[in-house]
Amino acid sequence: MGKFNNEALVKEIKGRLSIINLVESYTSVKKTGKGYVGLCPFHDDSNPSMHVDEEKGLFHCFSCGAGGDIFGFYMRYNNLSFPEAFSELAKKADVNIERQPESVPRKSQNSVLYKINAVASKYYRKILIDSSKGKLGRDYIQMRNISAETSQEFSLGFAPEGWDSLVKFLTKNKVPLSIAEKVGLIVKRNNTDGYYDRFRNRLIFPIQNIEGKVIGFGGRKIKEEDQPKYINSPESDIYKKRKSFYGIDKSKDHIRREGRAVLVEGYTDFLSLYSFGIKNTVATLGTSLTREHVSILRRYTENVVVIFDSDESGKKAAMRSLDVLLEEGLLPHVAPLPPGKDPDSYITEMGKEKFDELIENSTSWVEFFIDISIDQYRKGKLTLNTMVKDIIELLEKVKDPVETSLRIKRTAEMLGIQENEIYSLIKRGRGRSKTGAAKPQRTYPSHEKLLLTLVLKFPDLGEQLTHENWEDLISTAEIKSILQEIIVQGTSDPSSLLLRFDDKVAHEMISEALLSSPDIFNGQSASKIIQGCLVKLKLSKLDEKLKFLRIEIDEAIKGKDAQLEKKLLIEYRDLTKQKQREEGKAS
Ligand SMILES: [Zn+2]
């Protein structure tokens, strides 16, 4: 963000979007006096501690310290980088950022990578549909009940047999091979020069980002003897597994419309459901669900149904995903499949209606888990202790207090024990783990903080600092650099100031300073307080120096170095006098 020079566009976006409206779409806020307060979405907040100020365009949580402007909120909430938040908020604000494409330099670098993937995707597609080499792929697609429309919509392709079909094609089309290597389409040969194709004799699934750009590929084996079953592109500048869902560019609108997302594990399950008309689906790619995934999903819905494969590994993956969803504050549902079935085989055999029913009848994961645990206990497969421990571990992850108390009540009823017993066990658990609680805030010397607040509110007064050796007085690096920025560059408004810092801490300090106290100071009293702060800072600096001197003097005495001792004592006396002068000013 520091070198991001598109201040005009940023201001335009801020001008068109209301920070209150944005924040309100994630947490509810109430008007109080001049501003708004609400429950902070960045920590487990029970007492509204997040303040939002429309006029200044800032938010700040006085409990966990999260703060900044509309971009900061959006980035933090959705786990985005500044350029990503910038382009998404620009869309919301209907601001055209393309008119200055150089504003996002990273983009142009990446655009070459997207382009190469697009070229390769077209090549694989052509082989699948046009060439005799693609017949194996076509047969496989038919066998898996993926419709022709779905195959086309998702640009399925085929990588032919042989080591260098793609290498040859790219060479012929003058595509730089080094860049194709960067996105993992081809691999450098070990002992000789040149490259070979990563995907050979495989059905190809282009992986697209939310905007529909190809960021990577998945390849499924066709021949039984080939290993492994699936190959994925390695991660690259444009492909991060932790953040990528298969099919989300096509399914996101369906998810939004239906108010629900169905989570499955891979391409074939996804495509099979999609072919049958269950389009509000997403699939993770060779990884279980991550926090980043959840923040993407949350943009479209809070209702997630996890399809629970009945086999051991499927079960485990589903449970990991469910944990992440809970920890991110959602209340996921599960739809368990009958033994031996996966989503693809189930829908193929039973049809769409049955599958819809399965989703409709999905149960809250927490309820499901508790029922199963109690059932296992009753059957003698779990001891009482293990069962209660398992349930408590799960309940500790639930962020919604209403849900927790409901479940505790029900569990207690089913087990015939007191609710209080469960509560006390949970509390003991919470003491151990840190989840949920607000992180301890960093603390800063109060006079430095006050100085920052005053100079931010009255930037003209920053000049007062220049009469002193102020930079030596400030010990907090972030406060120093914000003050330097104001004094050297001047600032007309906080939003342009925020733009010049790309670290979270600086943003939090600025939002805190600007939203912290009501505007009780007028310029004149502020000026006096600034002088007072400077004196206090000088005094504490002097105290620190005196303390060190005393240690040095002690050592000089121990070392019997009379000359040094004398020199240090003179210094000590001078500093003490200086301190007395400053104290006179302070009183
Ligand atoms: Zn907070």
Side-chain angles (χ1 to χ4, degrees):
M1 216 182 308
K3 280 162 213 86
F4 190 84
N5 57 7
N6 239 321
E7 215 171 309
L9 283 176
V10 166
K11 279 191 179 163
E12 196 178 335
I13 293 168
K14 281 188 173 181
R16 290 200 195 184
L17 295 177
S18 144
I19 188 164
I20 303 283
N21 285 349
L22 181 85
V23 170
E24 257 188 334
S25 55
Y26 299 96
T27 180
S28 64
V29 293
K30 266 203 314 246
K31 188 154 172 52
T32 61
K34 258 195 89 196
Y36 290 77
V37 292
L39 289 177
C40 170
F42 304 114
H43 79 277
D44 191 3
D45 198 6
S46 50
N47 184 33
S49 24
M50 195 176 67
H51 291 233
V52 191
D53 188 311
E54 182 78 287
E55 199 187 320
K56 298 188 176 92
L58 295 171
F59 76 98
H60 191 83
C61 169
F62 286 93
S63 187
C64 72
D69 59 5
I70 197 165
F71 292 97
F73 187 92
Y74 199 75
M75 281 159 72
R76 196 187 279 256
Y77 199 92
N78 297 308
N79 262 316
L80 301 174
S81 67
F82 183 75
E84 288 168 327
F86 176 70
S87 75
E88 287 186 20
L89 287 177
K91 254 183 230 153
K92 277 188 202 273
D94 206 16
V95 168
N96 175 16
I97 52 173
E98 295 304 322
R99 60 183 190 237
Q100 274 164 299
E102 73 279 4
S103 64
V104 189
R106 183 107 207 145
K107 227 175 173 172
S108 61
Q109 248 180 43
N110 288 345
S111 71
V112 182
L113 306 182
Y114 291 126
K115 215 180 227 167
I116 290 209
N117 276 344
V119 168
S121 180
K122 262 191 201 149
Y123 166 77
Y124 291 138
R125 177 77 192 154
K126 206 166 152 41
I127 300 232
L128 178 77
I129 49 177
D130 282 352
S131 104
S132 58
K133 286 184 234 162
K135 188 172 180 309
L136 281 171
R138 296 197 292 274
D139 291 347
Y140 181 81
I141 286 175
Q142 207 171 14
M143 197 244 314
R144 291 305 294 253
N145 291 307
I146 297 169
S147 69
E149 296 85 64
T150 303
S151 160
Q152 176 168 3
E153 196 174 350
F154 289 86
S155 308
L156 302 195
F158 190 74
E161 213 160 1
W163 287 90
D164 56 1
S165 314
L166 182 67
V167 169
K168 276 185 191 148
F169 172 81
L170 294 175
T171 310
K172 204 176 99 197
N173 287 280
K174 303 203 166 55
V175 173
L177 295 182
S178 61
I179 298 175
E181 189 204 358
K182 257 192 179 169
V183 288
L185 279 165
I186 57 175
V187 185
K188 227 184 190 123
R189 287 183 188 276
N190 253 342
N191 301 317
T192 53
D193 281 350
Y195 298 89
Y196 65 90
D197 295 359
R198 178 179 302 271
F199 301 102
R200 303 176 303 277
N201 208 19
R202 280 175 184 267
L203 188 66
I204 295 291
F205 304 89
I207 301 161
Q208 285 158 286
N209 66 10
I210 255 173
E211 283 115 47
K213 288 192 178 125
V214 181
I215 53 178
F217 296 89
R220 198 210 186 273
K221 71 172 181 181
I222 298 286
K223 277 198 205 145
E224 206 39 56
E225 64 268 28
D226 281 348
Q227 284 302 331
K229 196 161 156 191
Y230 286 98
I231 292 179
N232 277 335
S233 294
E235 297 216 333
S236 67
D237 283 351
I238 56 173
Y239 176 44
K240 306 273 182 261
K241 274 191 212 162
R242 301 184 58 78
K243 294 183 175 182
S244 306
F245 277 121
Y246 182 67
I248 190 145
D249 58 311
K250 312 282 193 309
S251 62
K252 63 178 198 284
D253 293 334
H254 298 282
I255 292 172
R256 206 194 311 255
R257 222 172 294 142
E258 302 199 20
R260 177 159 58 195
V262 176
L263 181 72
V264 295
E265 244 186 285
Y267 322 105
T268 42
D269 282 336
F270 177 97
L271 292 173
S272 169
L273 295 190
Y274 201 91
S275 296
F276 274 95
I278 296 179
K279 298 188 171 182
N280 55 329
T281 306
V282 280
T284 52
L285 292 153
T287 159
S288 59
L289 201 75
T290 65
R291 293 182 54 199
E292 287 89 335
H293 282 129
V294 181
S295 49
I296 294 170
L297 267 186
R298 206 200 290 269
R299 297 181 213 166
Y300 307 104
T301 185
E302 298 235 312
N303 300 317
V304 182
V305 180
V306 178
I307 303 288
F308 212 90
D309 273 22
S310 50
D311 70 313
E312 235 6 80
S313 74
K315 224 184 249 176
K316 273 194 186 132
M319 282 171 70
R320 270 198 304 273
S321 300
L322 288 158
D323 272 354
V324 177
L325 288 160
L326 280 181
E327 281 163 6
E328 292 300 299
L330 301 190
L331 289 171
H333 277 221
V334 287
L337 290 166
K341 293 278 174 284
D342 59 33
D344 174 32
S345 64
Y346 188 79
I347 200 166
T348 307
E349 280 166 42
M350 311 293 288
K352 177 176 189 284
E353 248 170 65
K354 279 276 169 216
F355 206 94
D356 280 337
E357 243 171 62
L358 191 79
I359 295 173
E360 278 316 315
N361 294 331
S362 63
T363 33
S364 142
W365 165 234
V366 180
E367 194 182 333
F368 182 83
F369 184 88
I370 293 174
D371 286 354
I372 288 222
S373 306
I374 293 177
D375 184 55
Q376 295 218 306
Y377 160 65
R378 287 191 175 144
K379 285 183 183 151
K381 289 182 184 164
L382 278 180
T383 63
L384 180 68
N385 262 343
T386 318
M387 176 203 58
V388 172
K389 194 177 139 268
D390 285 355
I391 292 177
I392 286 168
E393 258 176 37
L394 182 81
L395 286 175
E396 277 171 0
K397 291 173 191 143
V398 177
K399 291 288 161 63
D400 179 356
V402 178
E403 173 79 7
T404 309
S405 64
L406 244 158
R407 294 303 155 206
I408 287 175
K409 195 165 187 262
R410 200 175 128 81
T411 309
E413 272 167 19
M414 287 177 84
L415 292 172
I417 57 174
Q418 294 287 318
E419 278 176 56
N420 280 349
E421 291 178 48
I422 301 184
Y423 275 111
S424 63
L425 284 166
I426 290 186
K427 239 179 232 145
R428 237 180 285 157
R430 285 233 162 107
R432 282 194 316 269
S433 73
K434 284 166 277 162
T435 48
K439 272 184 244 133
Q441 274 201 64
R442 299 221 262 163
T443 51
Y444 305 100
S446 59
H447 288 104
E448 296 187 13
K449 220 161 155 177
L450 184 56
L451 199 60
L452 177 70
T453 305
L454 292 167
V455 175
L456 269 169
K457 290 191 177 174
F458 304 95
D460 292 346
L461 299 182
E463 212 215 42
Q464 280 186 39
L465 268 54
T466 58
H467 304 314
E468 312 276 351
N469 230 348
W470 72 275
E471 281 166 315
D472 289 343
L473 300 177
I474 308 280
S475 61
T476 312
E478 288 91 353
I479 293 185
K480 198 188 285 184
S481 59
I482 298 169
L483 286 172
Q484 274 165 341
E485 190 70 27
I486 300 171
I487 290 165
V488 178
Q489 306 283 335
T491 182
S492 46
D493 64 323
S495 61
S496 42
L497 185 66
L498 283 179
L499 265 181
R500 293 182 228 149
F501 294 94
D502 52 10
D503 67 305
K504 250 192 197 164
V505 178
H507 281 221
E508 290 175 357
M509 289 185 146
I510 295 171
S511 65
E512 183 183 356
L514 284 169
L515 300 188
S516 59
S517 44
D519 300 328
I520 46 162
F521 308 108
N522 61 37
Q524 211 183 356
S525 55
S527 161
K528 266 195 194 147
I529 299 170
I530 287 179
Q531 287 309 323
C533 281
L534 288 170
V535 172
K536 285 272 161 48
L537 290 171
K538 266 187 258 177
L539 283 173
S540 63
K541 191 94 193 167
L542 284 168
D543 276 337
E544 196 182 304
K545 276 190 192 161
L546 287 168
K547 198 171 85 194
F548 279 117
L549 265 177
R550 276 197 297 272
I551 296 169
E552 283 182 80
I553 292 168
D554 272 353
E555 293 197 335
I557 294 171
K558 270 185 220 150
K560 299 194 166 60
D561 187 341
Q563 212 182 343
L564 179 64
E565 188 194 332
K566 198 178 164 197
K567 185 181 152 255
L568 292 172
L569 278 171
I570 293 173
E571 210 176 314
Y572 193 87
R573 202 185 51 204
D574 288 348
L575 281 177
T576 312
K577 275 187 193 157
Q578 209 178 321
K579 191 183 159 193
Q580 281 161 355
R581 274 202 304 276
E582 292 296 339
E583 278 169 340
K585 277 192 225 166
S587 58

